[in-house]
Each structure stands twice: as structure tokens, then as C-alpha cells.
Amino acid sequence: KAGVTQTPRYLIKTRGQQVTLSCSPISGHRSVSWYQQTPGQGLQFLFEYFSETQRNKGNFPGRFSGRQFSNSRSEMNVSTLELGDSALYLCASSFGVPNTEAFFGQGTRLTVV
Amino acid sequence: TQLLEQSPQFLSIQEGENLTVYCNSSSVFSSLQWYRQEPGEGPVLLVTVVTGGEVKKLKRLTFQFGDARKDSSLHITAAQTGDTGLYLCAGAEGYALNFGKGTSLLVTP
């Protein structure tokens, strides 16, 4: 059974640019969640999608957005990049019911210069 | 957002030693998960605890969920160098996971 796949693994972008990250969940999982991990703040929840609908959103500015496709694959977009957006972005997939286990991808390391 | 505090923040021990790390909150969680993360990789799920007072064992790792479902502990017996990593606890909050900042464990030979 294939795991969660995130692409690309590494990205370097310039301030002001925008970026799109991709996540393919485990087959059969309909929920995809996105997290930002930084040394200072740890893992912080961005948003969660289930069957193409955003069900939950964390406390991040509107520059951070996402979507989910009918095949459960998800993308997140960050516009007008800032230096502080440099982080490991992780996605997790699950069946999307309470207390269900979440499985993470390897993450995308974004560096903003 | 319910706050999860993990302690200690850092732990450096030698192979063969035992250790316990803690995850505490003032709020009740319906479930709590423990993950281990290695540098540059995503967290890997170790266990999910759901019932207050529950104890789960995974080889040399023992996980306990507090009776009131506000806290949890992870005990490692006879630590090995392969146990090195960042241990994260996460409480279910709606459809999101609320993570503690983790305990960074280094096991040296």
C-alpha cells in the first residue's frame, strides 16, 4: 500500500513569489490535512479537506489556501511569499472520521530567500 | 486551541537507559496520538490512545493515557540508538491534530 506522497521535496523561492505544493493521499483516504512545521512554532495546522470541502482551518493568513480534487489529491498554495514562510510543509491523510489515525508524507521543504 | 505541553524538551541518554517523556494539557482530548519524526522526514505514527487509563505497549515502548484524558506518557525501556528522534504527541481537536512541540531524544552508544 503506497504511502502519502508529497511533491516536490524541496523548493527555493524568492520573496513575493507564489508556490503550489501537492499531496497524494493513501488510496481510500478522503481527508487531507496540511501542517506547517518550523523550529520555533512546531507543527501548526493549516487546513483540512474532505471530499473536496474545507472542513477546518487553522489560524493562518489568507495567503495560504488549498483545494482538493475529486480523486482526493490536494494542493496548497502560498501567495506573496515571505521569509517567515520558510518551513517544512507536511500533509497527512486519513479516513476523515473522529479519532482516526493520520499518516504523514515526507514533507516539502520550502526555503524563501 | 487546546495547548499540549511536552517535557522534557531535550533528552540525551546512553544506550540501555530507560526514559519517560510527558505530554500534558489542561483540556480533555477524545484521543491522543504519539509520533516519531526523524530529521527531514514526516512524523510516523506510533500509537493512538483513546480510553482514559489505557496502556499500550509497542515492543520497548509503553504508552499511557491519563485517567482524565488530559495527559499521556511514553516510556522507553533500554533505549537504542535507533530510538533517536523527535517524539510528538497530538490531540484530536475536531478534524485537526493539535501538536505539542515535541521531545528531542538523542541516544548515544
Side-chain angles (χ1 to χ4, degrees):
Chain A
K1 189 174 182 180
V4 179
T5 303
Q6 289 190 246
T7 56
R9 286 294 309 276
Y10 303 94
L11 266 179
I12 300 176
K13 290 286 186 178
T14 305
R15 269 182 302 175
Q17 287 186 313
Q18 75 165 17
V19 67
T20 299
L21 313 181
S22 180
C23 173
S24 293
I26 291 171
S27 178
H29 284 185
R30 294 166 64 187
S31 169
V32 173
S33 300
W34 289 89
Y35 294 83
Q36 181 196 65
Q37 187 175 30
T38 59
Q41 298 299 318
L43 269 146
Q44 293 186 288
F45 173 74
L46 281 156
F47 28 66
E48 186 256 0
Y49 287 88
F50 180 85
S51 293
E52 303 179 68
T53 299
Q54 186 182 89
R55 293 194 300 188
N56 210 355
K57 188 176 189 306
N59 190 25
F60 277 81
R63 301 185 296 107
F64 291 82
S65 63
R67 59 178 176 168
Q68 187 179 34
F69 302 96
S70 58
N71 62 358
S72 293
R73 190 178 71 86
S74 177
E75 290 180 346
M76 69 162 280
N77 184 276
V78 188
S79 62
T80 319
L81 284 165
E82 301 177 0
L83 294 179
D85 296 333
S86 294
L88 181 67
Y89 289 88
L90 293 158
C91 92
S93 81
S94 74
F95 288 113
V97 297
N99 299 329
T100 191
E101 297 170 334
F103 297 88
F104 283 81
Q106 292 180 298
T108 294
R109 171 72 64 186
L110 172 65
T111 302
V112 182
V113 297
Chain B
T1 301
Q2 300 163 310
L3 192 63
L4 273 168
E5 295 188 359
Q6 291 190 245
S7 61
Q9 193 176 354
F10 301 99
L11 190 55
S12 180
I13 61 171
Q14 289 190 311
E15 248 186 337
E17 291 184 28
N18 301 332
L19 67 118
T20 302
V21 298
Y22 301 93
C23 174
N24 295 294
S25 174
S26 57
S27 304
V28 175
F29 286 99
S30 56
S31 70
L32 199 137
Q33 300 179 6
W34 283 92
Y35 292 82
R36 182 172 71 210
Q37 184 179 24
E38 298 186 16
E41 302 292 329
V44 175
L45 179 67
L46 296 173
V47 78
T48 300
V49 286
V50 178
T51 306
E54 183 177 5
V55 176
K56 281 192 173 179
K57 293 193 175 183
L58 187 66
K59 296 183 181 177
R60 294 174 295 100
L61 278 59
T62 302
F63 303 86
Q64 185 160 10
F65 201 14
D67 291 340
R69 290 185 290 134
K70 292 183 179 182
D71 56 88
S72 182
S73 64
L74 158 59
H75 181 80
I76 301 179
T77 303
Q80 301 176 355
T81 55
D83 295 327
T84 292
L86 179 67
Y87 288 82
L88 295 156
C89 67
E93 191 171 328
Y95 297 111
L97 288 173
N98 181 19
F99 281 86
K101 292 194 176 180
T103 292
S104 182
L105 172 65
L106 174 64
V107 182
T108 55

PDB file of all heavy atoms in Angstrom, chain B residues 27-61:
ATOM      1  N   SER B  27      -6.841  20.524  28.988  1.00  0.00           N
ATOM      2  CA  SER B  27      -8.088  20.174  28.318  1.00  0.00           C
ATOM      3  C   SER B  27      -8.193  18.669  28.109  1.00  0.00           C
ATOM      4  O   SER B  27      -7.191  17.962  28.089  1.00  0.00           O
ATOM      5  CB  SER B  27      -8.173  20.872  26.960  1.00  0.00           C
ATOM      6  OG  SER B  27      -8.032  22.264  27.102  1.00  0.00           O
ATOM      7  N   VAL B  28      -9.396  18.210  27.948  1.00  0.00           N
ATOM      8  CA  VAL B  28      -9.645  16.796  27.687  1.00  0.00           C
ATOM      9  C   VAL B  28      -9.601  16.536  26.187  1.00  0.00           C
ATOM     10  O   VAL B  28     -10.154  17.302  25.406  1.00  0.00           O
ATOM     11  CB  VAL B  28     -11.031  16.387  28.242  1.00  0.00           C
ATOM     12  CG1 VAL B  28     -11.361  14.947  27.861  1.00  0.00           C
ATOM     13  CG2 VAL B  28     -11.076  16.568  29.748  1.00  0.00           C
ATOM     14  N   PHE B  29      -8.957  15.454  25.810  1.00  0.00           N
ATOM     15  CA  PHE B  29      -8.896  15.052  24.407  1.00  0.00           C
ATOM     16  C   PHE B  29      -9.666  13.754  24.204  1.00  0.00           C
ATOM     17  O   PHE B  29      -9.628  12.868  25.043  1.00  0.00           O
ATOM     18  CB  PHE B  29      -7.451  14.861  23.946  1.00  0.00           C
ATOM     19  CG  PHE B  29      -6.712  16.151  23.752  1.00  0.00           C
ATOM     20  CD1 PHE B  29      -5.855  16.630  24.715  1.00  0.00           C
ATOM     21  CD2 PHE B  29      -6.889  16.892  22.595  1.00  0.00           C
ATOM     22  CE1 PHE B  29      -5.181  17.836  24.539  1.00  0.00           C
ATOM     23  CE2 PHE B  29      -6.216  18.088  22.401  1.00  0.00           C
ATOM     24  CZ  PHE B  29      -5.358  18.552  23.383  1.00  0.00           C
ATOM     25  N   SER B  30     -10.341  13.652  23.092  1.00  0.00           N
ATOM     26  CA  SER B  30     -11.055  12.408  22.787  1.00  0.00           C
ATOM     27  C   SER B  30     -10.067  11.302  22.429  1.00  0.00           C
ATOM     28  O   SER B  30     -10.360  10.118  22.617  1.00  0.00           O
ATOM     29  CB  SER B  30     -12.031  12.634  21.639  1.00  0.00           C
ATOM     30  OG  SER B  30     -11.347  13.142  20.506  1.00  0.00           O
ATOM     31  N   SER B  31      -8.924  11.676  21.911  1.00  0.00           N
ATOM     32  CA  SER B  31      -7.875  10.698  21.633  1.00  0.00           C
ATOM     33  C   SER B  31      -6.539  11.426  21.559  1.00  0.00           C
ATOM     34  O   SER B  31      -6.505  12.653  21.380  1.00  0.00           O
ATOM     35  CB  SER B  31      -8.123   9.945  20.320  1.00  0.00           C
ATOM     36  OG  SER B  31      -7.931  10.806  19.214  1.00  0.00           O
ATOM     37  N   LEU B  32      -5.487  10.672  21.695  1.00  0.00           N
ATOM     38  CA  LEU B  32      -4.164  11.256  21.650  1.00  0.00           C
ATOM     39  C   LEU B  32      -3.263  10.329  20.855  1.00  0.00           C
ATOM     40  O   LEU B  32      -3.341   9.100  21.010  1.00  0.00           O
ATOM     41  CB  LEU B  32      -3.622  11.466  23.069  1.00  0.00           C
ATOM     42  CG  LEU B  32      -2.479  12.466  23.183  1.00  0.00           C
ATOM     43  CD1 LEU B  32      -2.694  13.360  24.385  1.00  0.00           C
ATOM     44  CD2 LEU B  32      -1.163  11.738  23.274  1.00  0.00           C
ATOM     45  N   GLN B  33      -2.441  10.909  20.016  1.00  0.00           N
ATOM     46  CA  GLN B  33      -1.534  10.116  19.188  1.00  0.00           C
ATOM     47  C   GLN B  33      -0.093  10.489  19.500  1.00  0.00           C
ATOM     48  O   GLN B  33       0.208  11.633  19.835  1.00  0.00           O
ATOM     49  CB  GLN B  33      -1.841  10.351  17.708  1.00  0.00           C
ATOM     50  CG  GLN B  33      -3.264   9.974  17.332  1.00  0.00           C
ATOM     51  CD  GLN B  33      -3.595  10.217  15.875  1.00  0.00           C
ATOM     52  OE1 GLN B  33      -2.729  10.570  15.078  1.00  0.00           O
ATOM     53  NE2 GLN B  33      -4.851  10.006  15.506  1.00  0.00           N
ATOM     54  N   TRP B  34       0.780   9.503  19.392  1.00  0.00           N
ATOM     55  CA  TRP B  34       2.222   9.719  19.521  1.00  0.00           C
ATOM     56  C   TRP B  34       2.883   9.429  18.183  1.00  0.00           C
ATOM     57  O   TRP B  34       2.574   8.422  17.532  1.00  0.00           O
ATOM     58  CB  TRP B  34       2.824   8.814  20.592  1.00  0.00           C
ATOM     59  CG  TRP B  34       2.566   9.255  21.995  1.00  0.00           C
ATOM     60  CD1 TRP B  34       1.535   8.885  22.804  1.00  0.00           C
ATOM     61  CD2 TRP B  34       3.374  10.153  22.774  1.00  0.00           C
ATOM     62  NE1 TRP B  34       1.643   9.498  24.025  1.00  0.00           N
ATOM     63  CE2 TRP B  34       2.769  10.279  24.036  1.00  0.00           C
ATOM     64  CE3 TRP B  34       4.553  10.866  22.520  1.00  0.00           C
ATOM     65  CZ2 TRP B  34       3.288  11.082  25.049  1.00  0.00           C
ATOM     66  CZ3 TRP B  34       5.088  11.650  23.530  1.00  0.00           C
ATOM     67  CH2 TRP B  34       4.449  11.753  24.774  1.00  0.00           C
ATOM     68  N   TYR B  35       3.789  10.323  17.807  1.00  0.00           N
ATOM     69  CA  TYR B  35       4.537  10.186  16.565  1.00  0.00           C
ATOM     70  C   TYR B  35       6.037  10.293  16.863  1.00  0.00           C
ATOM     71  O   TYR B  35       6.450  10.925  17.833  1.00  0.00           O
ATOM     72  CB  TYR B  35       4.191  11.316  15.579  1.00  0.00           C
ATOM     73  CG  TYR B  35       2.788  11.283  15.026  1.00  0.00           C
ATOM     74  CD1 TYR B  35       1.726  11.806  15.742  1.00  0.00           C
ATOM     75  CD2 TYR B  35       2.539  10.736  13.768  1.00  0.00           C
ATOM     76  CE1 TYR B  35       0.446  11.781  15.229  1.00  0.00           C
ATOM     77  CE2 TYR B  35       1.254  10.716  13.240  1.00  0.00           C
ATOM     78  CZ  TYR B  35       0.218  11.240  13.986  1.00  0.00           C
ATOM     79  OH  TYR B  35      -1.057  11.219  13.468  1.00  0.00           O
ATOM     80  N   ARG B  36       6.830   9.689  15.973  1.00  0.00           N
ATOM     81  CA  ARG B  36       8.270   9.922  15.992  1.00  0.00           C
ATOM     82  C   ARG B  36       8.667  10.490  14.634  1.00  0.00           C
ATOM     83  O   ARG B  36       8.230   9.985  13.592  1.00  0.00           O
ATOM     84  CB  ARG B  36       9.068   8.650  16.249  1.00  0.00           C
ATOM     85  CG  ARG B  36      10.579   8.903  16.312  1.00  0.00           C
ATOM     86  CD  ARG B  36      11.333   7.686  16.760  1.00  0.00           C
ATOM     87  NE  ARG B  36      11.344   6.662  15.734  1.00  0.00           N
ATOM     88  CZ  ARG B  36      11.396   5.359  15.996  1.00  0.00           C
ATOM     89  NH1 ARG B  36      11.451   4.941  17.239  1.00  0.00           N
ATOM     90  NH2 ARG B  36      11.411   4.511  15.014  1.00  0.00           N
ATOM     91  N   GLN B  37       9.506  11.505  14.687  1.00  0.00           N
ATOM     92  CA  GLN B  37       9.927  12.168  13.462  1.00  0.00           C
ATOM     93  C   GLN B  37      11.448  12.225  13.411  1.00  0.00           C
ATOM     94  O   GLN B  37      12.094  12.625  14.374  1.00  0.00           O
ATOM     95  CB  GLN B  37       9.346  13.583  13.384  1.00  0.00           C
ATOM     96  CG  GLN B  37       9.657  14.299  12.086  1.00  0.00           C
ATOM     97  CD  GLN B  37       9.041  15.687  12.043  1.00  0.00           C
ATOM     98  OE1 GLN B  37       8.763  16.288  13.076  1.00  0.00           O
ATOM     99  NE2 GLN B  37       8.836  16.214  10.838  1.00  0.00           N
ATOM    100  N   GLU B  38      11.992  11.846  12.271  1.00  0.00           N
ATOM    101  CA  GLU B  38      13.427  11.945  12.055  1.00  0.00           C
ATOM    102  C   GLU B  38      13.692  13.171  11.186  1.00  0.00           C
ATOM    103  O   GLU B  38      12.808  13.614  10.447  1.00  0.00           O
ATOM    104  CB  GLU B  38      13.944  10.658  11.431  1.00  0.00           C
ATOM    105  CG  GLU B  38      13.727   9.463  12.352  1.00  0.00           C
ATOM    106  CD  GLU B  38      14.362   8.202  11.822  1.00  0.00           C
ATOM    107  OE1 GLU B  38      15.212   8.288  10.923  1.00  0.00           O
ATOM    108  OE2 GLU B  38      13.997   7.127  12.327  1.00  0.00           O
ATOM    109  N   PRO B  39      14.894  13.731  11.264  1.00  0.00           N
ATOM    110  CA  PRO B  39      15.188  14.982  10.540  1.00  0.00           C
ATOM    111  C   PRO B  39      14.867  14.891   9.053  1.00  0.00           C
ATOM    112  O   PRO B  39      15.232  13.917   8.388  1.00  0.00           O
ATOM    113  CB  PRO B  39      16.692  15.163  10.767  1.00  0.00           C
ATOM    114  CG  PRO B  39      16.961  14.460  12.047  1.00  0.00           C
ATOM    115  CD  PRO B  39      16.035  13.283  12.073  1.00  0.00           C
ATOM    116  N   GLY B  40      14.144  15.889   8.547  1.00  0.00           N
ATOM    117  CA  GLY B  40      13.826  15.952   7.130  1.00  0.00           C
ATOM    118  C   GLY B  40      12.728  15.007   6.677  1.00  0.00           C
ATOM    119  O   GLY B  40      12.452  14.910   5.478  1.00  0.00           O
ATOM    120  N   GLU B  41      12.103  14.323   7.608  1.00  0.00           N
ATOM    121  CA  GLU B  41      11.046  13.374   7.268  1.00  0.00           C
ATOM    122  C   GLU B  41       9.747  13.769   7.953  1.00  0.00           C
ATOM    123  O   GLU B  41       9.729  14.592   8.865  1.00  0.00           O
ATOM    124  CB  GLU B  41      11.431  11.956   7.698  1.00  0.00           C
ATOM    125  CG  GLU B  41      12.726  11.449   7.100  1.00  0.00           C
ATOM    126  CD  GLU B  41      12.616  11.221   5.602  1.00  0.00           C
ATOM    127  OE1 GLU B  41      11.510  10.884   5.135  1.00  0.00           O
ATOM    128  OE2 GLU B  41      13.649  11.409   4.898  1.00  0.00           O
ATOM    129  N   GLY B  42       8.640  13.160   7.503  1.00  0.00           N
ATOM    130  CA  GLY B  42       7.375  13.404   8.160  1.00  0.00           C
ATOM    131  C   GLY B  42       7.235  12.558   9.413  1.00  0.00           C
ATOM    132  O   GLY B  42       7.929  11.551   9.578  1.00  0.00           O
ATOM    133  N   PRO B  43       6.356  12.960  10.318  1.00  0.00           N
ATOM    134  CA  PRO B  43       6.122  12.162  11.531  1.00  0.00           C
ATOM    135  C   PRO B  43       5.545  10.791  11.173  1.00  0.00           C
ATOM    136  O   PRO B  43       4.732  10.680  10.254  1.00  0.00           O
ATOM    137  CB  PRO B  43       5.093  12.997  12.302  1.00  0.00           C
ATOM    138  CG  PRO B  43       5.191  14.370  11.743  1.00  0.00           C
ATOM    139  CD  PRO B  43       5.553  14.195  10.307  1.00  0.00           C
ATOM    140  N   VAL B  44       5.962   9.793  11.937  1.00  0.00           N
ATOM    141  CA  VAL B  44       5.452   8.430  11.752  1.00  0.00           C
ATOM    142  C   VAL B  44       4.645   8.067  12.980  1.00  0.00           C
ATOM    143  O   VAL B  44       5.137   8.175  14.110  1.00  0.00           O
ATOM    144  CB  VAL B  44       6.605   7.429  11.553  1.00  0.00           C
ATOM    145  CG1 VAL B  44       6.066   6.002  11.497  1.00  0.00           C
ATOM    146  CG2 VAL B  44       7.383   7.754  10.275  1.00  0.00           C
ATOM    147  N   LEU B  45       3.412   7.652  12.756  1.00  0.00           N
ATOM    148  CA  LEU B  45       2.521   7.318  13.855  1.00  0.00           C
ATOM    149  C   LEU B  45       3.028   6.095  14.620  1.00  0.00           C
ATOM    150  O   LEU B  45       3.355   5.061  14.035  1.00  0.00           O
ATOM    151  CB  LEU B  45       1.118   7.039  13.313  1.00  0.00           C
ATOM    152  CG  LEU B  45       0.057   6.654  14.341  1.00  0.00           C
ATOM    153  CD1 LEU B  45      -0.237   7.831  15.265  1.00  0.00           C
ATOM    154  CD2 LEU B  45      -1.210   6.187  13.647  1.00  0.00           C
ATOM    155  N   LEU B  46       3.088   6.239  15.961  1.00  0.00           N
ATOM    156  CA  LEU B  46       3.476   5.116  16.817  1.00  0.00           C
ATOM    157  C   LEU B  46       2.243   4.454  17.426  1.00  0.00           C
ATOM    158  O   LEU B  46       2.121   3.224  17.412  1.00  0.00           O
ATOM    159  CB  LEU B  46       4.397   5.603  17.944  1.00  0.00           C
ATOM    160  CG  LEU B  46       5.748   6.172  17.509  1.00  0.00           C
ATOM    161  CD1 LEU B  46       6.484   6.770  18.713  1.00  0.00           C
ATOM    162  CD2 LEU B  46       6.599   5.102  16.851  1.00  0.00           C
ATOM    163  N   VAL B  47       1.359   5.263  17.973  1.00  0.00           N
ATOM    164  CA  VAL B  47       0.205   4.693  18.669  1.00  0.00           C
ATOM    165  C   VAL B  47      -0.888   5.736  18.807  1.00  0.00           C
ATOM    166  O   VAL B  47      -0.623   6.936  18.770  1.00  0.00           O
ATOM    167  CB  VAL B  47       0.631   4.191  20.076  1.00  0.00           C
ATOM    168  CG1 VAL B  47       0.766   5.360  21.043  1.00  0.00           C
ATOM    169  CG2 VAL B  47      -0.323   3.157  20.627  1.00  0.00           C
ATOM    170  N   THR B  48      -2.123   5.253  18.938  1.00  0.00           N
ATOM    171  CA  THR B  48      -3.263   6.107  19.282  1.00  0.00           C
ATOM    172  C   THR B  48      -3.873   5.564  20.563  1.00  0.00           C
ATOM    173  O   THR B  48      -4.117   4.358  20.674  1.00  0.00           O
ATOM    174  CB  THR B  48      -4.333   6.083  18.175  1.00  0.00           C
ATOM    175  OG1 THR B  48      -3.764   6.560  16.961  1.00  0.00           O
ATOM    176  CG2 THR B  48      -5.519   6.963  18.545  1.00  0.00           C
ATOM    177  N   VAL B  49      -4.094   6.442  21.543  1.00  0.00           N
ATOM    178  CA  VAL B  49      -4.779   6.046  22.771  1.00  0.00           C
ATOM    179  C   VAL B  49      -6.095   6.792  22.843  1.00  0.00           C
ATOM    180  O   VAL B  49      -6.172   7.979  22.509  1.00  0.00           O
ATOM    181  CB  VAL B  49      -3.919   6.282  24.030  1.00  0.00           C
ATOM    182  CG1 VAL B  49      -2.819   5.243  24.116  1.00  0.00           C
ATOM    183  CG2 VAL B  49      -3.322   7.679  24.051  1.00  0.00           C
ATOM    184  N   VAL B  50      -7.127   6.086  23.278  1.00  0.00           N
ATOM    185  CA  VAL B  50      -8.484   6.633  23.234  1.00  0.00           C
ATOM    186  C   VAL B  50      -9.158   6.616  24.602  1.00  0.00           C
ATOM    187  O   VAL B  50      -9.850   7.559  24.975  1.00  0.00           O
ATOM    188  CB  VAL B  50      -9.340   5.846  22.221  1.00  0.00           C
ATOM    189  CG1 VAL B  50     -10.773   6.373  22.185  1.00  0.00           C
ATOM    190  CG2 VAL B  50      -8.733   5.903  20.841  1.00  0.00           C
ATOM    191  N   THR B  51      -8.935   5.555  25.360  1.00  0.00           N
ATOM    192  CA  THR B  51      -9.654   5.364  26.622  1.00  0.00           C
ATOM    193  C   THR B  51      -8.818   5.860  27.788  1.00  0.00           C
ATOM    194  O   THR B  51      -7.619   5.541  27.881  1.00  0.00           O
ATOM    195  CB  THR B  51      -9.974   3.880  26.813  1.00  0.00           C
ATOM    196  OG1 THR B  51     -10.670   3.412  25.665  1.00  0.00           O
ATOM    197  CG2 THR B  51     -10.828   3.669  28.050  1.00  0.00           C
ATOM    198  N   GLY B  52      -9.441   6.602  28.711  1.00  0.00           N
ATOM    199  CA  GLY B  52      -8.733   7.053  29.907  1.00  0.00           C
ATOM    200  C   GLY B  52      -8.153   5.872  30.663  1.00  0.00           C
ATOM    201  O   GLY B  52      -8.840   4.877  30.868  1.00  0.00           O
ATOM    202  N   GLY B  53      -6.883   5.984  31.087  1.00  0.00           N
ATOM    203  CA  GLY B  53      -6.226   4.904  31.806  1.00  0.00           C
ATOM    204  C   GLY B  53      -5.619   3.838  30.907  1.00  0.00           C
ATOM    205  O   GLY B  53      -4.967   2.903  31.396  1.00  0.00           O
ATOM    206  N   GLU B  54      -5.813   3.969  29.628  1.00  0.00           N
ATOM    207  CA  GLU B  54      -5.332   2.962  28.684  1.00  0.00           C
ATOM    208  C   GLU B  54      -3.811   2.889  28.660  1.00  0.00           C
ATOM    209  O   GLU B  54      -3.130   3.913  28.745  1.00  0.00           O
ATOM    210  CB  GLU B  54      -5.851   3.318  27.288  1.00  0.00           C
ATOM    211  CG  GLU B  54      -5.505   2.328  26.189  1.00  0.00           C
ATOM    212  CD  GLU B  54      -6.130   2.719  24.851  1.00  0.00           C
ATOM    213  OE1 GLU B  54      -6.749   3.800  24.754  1.00  0.00           O
ATOM    214  OE2 GLU B  54      -5.986   1.942  23.899  1.00  0.00           O
ATOM    215  N   VAL B  55      -3.296   1.660  28.590  1.00  0.00           N
ATOM    216  CA  VAL B  55      -1.858   1.418  28.446  1.00  0.00           C
ATOM    217  C   VAL B  55      -1.650   0.574  27.195  1.00  0.00           C
ATOM    218  O   VAL B  55      -2.304  -0.455  27.024  1.00  0.00           O
ATOM    219  CB  VAL B  55      -1.276   0.687  29.670  1.00  0.00           C
ATOM    220  CG1 VAL B  55       0.208   0.375  29.437  1.00  0.00           C
ATOM    221  CG2 VAL B  55      -1.447   1.520  30.931  1.00  0.00           C
ATOM    222  N   LYS B  56      -0.744   1.049  26.335  1.00  0.00           N
ATOM    223  CA  LYS B  56      -0.427   0.277  25.129  1.00  0.00           C
ATOM    224  C   LYS B  56       1.075   0.063  25.068  1.00  0.00           C
ATOM    225  O   LYS B  56       1.851   0.961  25.394  1.00  0.00           O
ATOM    226  CB  LYS B  56      -0.901   1.006  23.867  1.00  0.00           C
ATOM    227  CG  LYS B  56      -2.388   0.867  23.599  1.00  0.00           C
ATOM    228  CD  LYS B  56      -2.731   1.356  22.205  1.00  0.00           C
ATOM    229  CE  LYS B  56      -4.175   1.069  21.861  1.00  0.00           C
ATOM    230  NZ  LYS B  56      -4.539   1.569  20.516  1.00  0.00           N
ATOM    231  N   LYS B  57       1.456  -1.136  24.633  1.00  0.00           N
ATOM    232  CA  LYS B  57       2.881  -1.460  24.515  1.00  0.00           C
ATOM    233  C   LYS B  57       3.229  -1.756  23.066  1.00  0.00           C
ATOM    234  O   LYS B  57       2.498  -2.441  22.356  1.00  0.00           O
ATOM    235  CB  LYS B  57       3.232  -2.646  25.407  1.00  0.00           C
ATOM    236  CG  LYS B  57       3.121  -2.340  26.884  1.00  0.00           C
ATOM    237  CD  LYS B  57       3.763  -3.415  27.748  1.00  0.00           C
ATOM    238  CE  LYS B  57       3.727  -2.991  29.203  1.00  0.00           C
ATOM    239  NZ  LYS B  57       4.408  -3.954  30.090  1.00  0.00           N
ATOM    240  N   LEU B  58       4.378  -1.215  22.675  1.00  0.00           N
ATOM    241  CA  LEU B  58       4.893  -1.425  21.330  1.00  0.00           C
ATOM    242  C   LEU B  58       6.361  -1.792  21.513  1.00  0.00           C
ATOM    243  O   LEU B  58       7.230  -0.920  21.584  1.00  0.00           O
ATOM    244  CB  LEU B  58       4.742  -0.149  20.500  1.00  0.00           C
ATOM    245  CG  LEU B  58       5.070  -0.210  19.002  1.00  0.00           C
ATOM    246  CD1 LEU B  58       4.091  -1.090  18.280  1.00  0.00           C
ATOM    247  CD2 LEU B  58       5.052   1.196  18.409  1.00  0.00           C
ATOM    248  N   LYS B  59       6.638  -3.083  21.645  1.00  0.00           N
ATOM    249  CA  LYS B  59       7.993  -3.590  21.920  1.00  0.00           C
ATOM    250  C   LYS B  59       8.535  -2.928  23.179  1.00  0.00           C
ATOM    251  O   LYS B  59       8.014  -3.137  24.277  1.00  0.00           O
ATOM    252  CB  LYS B  59       8.909  -3.355  20.719  1.00  0.00           C
ATOM    253  CG  LYS B  59       8.479  -4.129  19.481  1.00  0.00           C
ATOM    254  CD  LYS B  59       9.433  -3.939  18.320  1.00  0.00           C
ATOM    255  CE  LYS B  59       8.937  -4.715  17.106  1.00  0.00           C
ATOM    256  NZ  LYS B  59       9.793  -4.521  15.921  1.00  0.00           N
ATOM    257  N   ARG B  60       9.549  -2.097  23.095  1.00  0.00           N
ATOM    258  CA  ARG B  60      10.143  -1.474  24.284  1.00  0.00           C
ATOM    259  C   ARG B  60       9.468  -0.152  24.663  1.00  0.00           C
ATOM    260  O   ARG B  60       9.870   0.500  25.623  1.00  0.00           O
ATOM    261  CB  ARG B  60      11.625  -1.226  24.026  1.00  0.00           C
ATOM    262  CG  ARG B  60      12.464  -2.480  23.858  1.00  0.00           C
ATOM    263  CD  ARG B  60      13.915  -2.156  23.458  1.00  0.00           C
ATOM    264  NE  ARG B  60      13.975  -1.530  22.136  1.00  0.00           N
ATOM    265  CZ  ARG B  60      14.096  -0.223  21.963  1.00  0.00           C
ATOM    266  NH1 ARG B  60      14.206   0.595  22.994  1.00  0.00           N
ATOM    267  NH2 ARG B  60      14.138   0.287  20.734  1.00  0.00           N
ATOM    268  N   LEU B  61       8.449   0.239  23.937  1.00  0.00           N
ATOM    269  CA  LEU B  61       7.759   1.496  24.199  1.00  0.00           C
ATOM    270  C   LEU B  61       6.431   1.223  24.893  1.00  0.00           C
ATOM    271  O   LEU B  61       5.663   0.353  24.464  1.00  0.00           O
ATOM    272  CB  LEU B  61       7.498   2.239  22.881  1.00  0.00           C
ATOM    273  CG  LEU B  61       8.624   3.068  22.264  1.00  0.00           C
ATOM    274  CD1 LEU B  61       9.864   2.236  21.959  1.00  0.00           C
ATOM    275  CD2 LEU B  61       8.146   3.786  21.019  1.00  0.00           C
TER     276      LEU B  61
END
